[in-house]
Amino acid sequence: MTKAGERIKSLRKENNLSLTVLSKLTGLSKSAINRWENNQADINGDAIVALAKFFDVTADYLLGLTDY
């Protein structure tokens, strides 16, 4: 899931968040976020929803299905 990892990392950096802070704010593990950003693991549906809500974007955007 290359696009999702890229988008998560980009959104995190645009918002000046460290992995640790994003983890604490979303309740997702720091190691999982790191693996998604580095395309070492696929992201699950619950995490997609949590991150989409947190960053106020659509799940389609996170998955690379849309560019907005």
Side-chain angles (χ1 to χ4, degrees), residues 41-60:
D42 289 336
I43 188 168
N44 66 42
D46 290 338
I48 291 168
V49 171
L51 289 168
K53 285 181 178 180
F54 178 80
F55 287 117
D56 194 28
V57 298
T58 66
D60 285 350

Side-chain angles (χ1 to χ4, degrees), residues 17-64:
L17 299 170
S18 67
L19 284 170
T20 302
V21 171
L22 181 58
S23 172
K24 287 180 182 178
L25 292 173
T26 61
L28 301 168
S29 79
K30 179 180 167 184
S31 61
I33 297 168
N34 186 53
R35 287 192 307 270
W36 300 329
E37 288 186 354
N38 291 297
N39 300 309
Q40 296 172 339
D42 289 336
I43 188 168
N44 66 42
D46 290 338
I48 291 168
V49 171
L51 289 168
K53 285 181 178 180
F54 178 80
F55 287 117
D56 194 28
V57 298
T58 66
D60 285 350
Y61 175 79
L62 277 182
L63 295 171

